[in-house]
Amino acid sequence: MNEKKDILLEIHNLSVSFCMYHHGLEQRDLQVISDLHLNVAAGEIVAVAGSSGSGKSLLASAILGILPGNATVRGQLYYKGKELTKERQGQLRGSEIALVPQSVTYLDPRMKVGAQAVGHKRPYPTGKLRSLFQRLCLPEKTERLYPFQLSGGMARRVLVSTALITDAQLVIADEPTPGMGLGQAMEALGMFREMAKDGKAVILITHDIDLAFEFADRVAVFYAGTTVEIAPASDFKRGADALRHPYSKALWKALPQNGFQPIGGFQPYAGNLPKGCLFAPRCPHKTAKCEDSVPAIKEVRGGEVRCHHAT
């Protein structure tokens, strides 16, 4: 486990809800993240895995303070030991905390991509930008192109460069590799690895779990808007028996190289969450306790897990 002094980002009991209209003018709060827990230390990559709708991208928006106006955030967020208030989020966003966004629509269609990658950095780091583009297999002319002139994979690599060129201490990479070839993805993730070796912290949000195992130090598994397990990446390489939560084990078994074994049921959606453990309706080991009470995060075998029966 990481020592307290090494922790760059701390998240405790994070909940995110949205005020929504329901049945005409009736309003209700729709909770999409609940009791989420995550710590990230300087010098490490933490991969965040889970199915679509599990809250991965919303976590990034909550850290950066870019959720829409109808969102309510509760819980504790600390950066370098100090509370991450809205004012502080605005000060750190784009400087000490950088985002590699999931959608290529984040690129401004009116600006050449070189200027967008550099942002407000002065003097203009021509050499560093060209070196980054070269490592990401982007032609030299790329910096003079507009976003509409890029392929989807090229646009993704430009987005990756926008974070790598900064002096950010915390980088949140939200699905940075789709559209890239294997070699390009390996190079991009290798550059995040270099950032971690320099003492920076990286949150890697990804569906590409196989690559995450190779580059991450730890893997946080999300389910239905909460953290169910945080384990060393090496545990995922060792196999399902090394993991602690039934969902993490199921996730491992569902990988093609592990037999592609699906489980029944589906992830519950916000507004229709079960009373107790969120995974209980699909869990083959559930008991009455699982259906009645929400398990707390606890330490088990060098990792953290939210399960009443994990050993």
Side-chain angles (χ1 to χ4, degrees):
M1 303 299 291
N2 297 309
E3 297 295 331
K4 183 79 170 178
K5 61 183 176 61
D6 295 328
I7 299 298
L8 196 68
L9 177 72
E10 293 179 79
I11 302 171
H12 302 289
N13 306 313
L14 178 68
S15 295
V16 177
S17 60
F18 293 92
C19 182
M20 310 287 287
Y21 283 99
H22 178 66
H23 296 311
L25 297 179
E26 179 186 342
Q27 289 185 335
R28 67 166 179 166
D29 282 332
L30 192 67
Q31 187 157 305
V32 292
I33 286 180
S34 57
D35 200 23
L36 192 145
H37 163 76
L38 185 68
N39 292 335
V40 185
E44 77 166 344
I45 297 176
V46 175
V48 177
S51 60
S52 297
S54 59
K56 303 187 298 296
S57 295
L58 280 175
L59 169 66
S61 297
I63 295 169
L64 290 158
I66 55 174
L67 288 166
N70 65 329
T72 299
V73 179
R74 298 182 179 87
Q76 297 82 46
L77 287 86
Y78 298 94
Y79 177 74
K80 292 185 176 180
K82 296 181 180 179
E83 185 180 0
L84 199 53
T85 62
K86 272 194 168 298
E87 181 181 6
R88 195 156 179 249
Q89 285 171 323
Q91 294 169 348
L92 298 174
R93 188 167 56 239
S95 54
E96 281 207 39
I97 303 178
L99 172 69
V100 178
Q102 182 178 150
S103 174
V104 297
T105 59
Y106 274 79
L107 291 172
D108 189 334
R110 301 164 299 177
M111 290 178 63
K112 293 180 180 180
V113 298
Q116 295 191 62
V118 169
H120 300 292
K121 200 173 182 67
R122 295 294 181 270
Y124 193 95
T126 303
K128 185 175 182 179
L129 177 65
R130 290 178 181 173
S131 176
L132 277 175
F133 277 11
Q134 184 176 28
R135 290 191 62 183
L136 289 167
C137 302
L138 290 166
E140 186 175 328
K141 67 176 183 178
T142 303
E143 63 180 294
R144 301 187 298 274
L145 300 179
Y146 289 92
F148 76 88
Q149 296 174 295
L150 306 178
S151 68
M154 291 174 69
R156 291 266 183 200
R157 282 173 273 159
V158 168
L159 287 173
V160 169
S161 75
T162 63
L164 295 174
I165 205 166
T166 69
D167 297 318
Q169 296 300 301
L170 172 64
V171 173
I172 305 170
D174 191 358
E175 298 288 359
T177 57
M180 296 186 193
L182 178 60
Q184 295 165 355
M186 294 281 284
E187 182 66 31
L189 294 179
M191 293 166 82
F192 288 128
R193 184 73 264 170
E194 290 175 14
M195 295 183 74
K197 286 181 180 178
D198 288 339
K200 299 177 181 181
V202 179
I203 298 176
L204 174 62
I205 299 170
T206 183
H207 281 101
D208 200 341
I209 302 175
D210 289 342
L211 281 180
F213 297 163
E214 296 300 322
F215 288 91
D217 298 287
R218 293 185 295 143
V219 178
V221 180
F222 286 11
Y223 184 80
T226 197
T227 320
V228 295
E229 180 167 358
I230 304 174
S234 57
D235 287 356
F236 285 84
K237 294 181 181 180
R238 288 166 54 201
D241 290 341
L243 302 174
R244 299 149 192 81
H245 196 278
Y247 178 65
S248 302
K249 296 173 186 284
L251 200 62
W252 186 91
K253 292 177 180 178
L255 294 173
Q257 67 270 29
N258 299 327
F260 197 58
Q261 305 170 49
I263 58 173
F266 52 87
Q267 179 178 254
Y269 291 97
N272 192 32
L273 299 178
K275 176 184 175 184
C277 172
L278 298 178
F279 188 64
R282 307 175 71 186
C283 183
H285 311 295
K286 69 181 177 184
T287 63
K289 183 178 183 181
C290 302
E291 295 178 314
D292 290 338
S293 62
V294 177
I297 280 278
K298 61 182 179 181
E299 294 190 11
V300 174
R301 292 188 281 113
E304 298 173 83
V305 62
R306 189 183 300 280
C307 177
H308 290 304
H309 308 297
T311 57

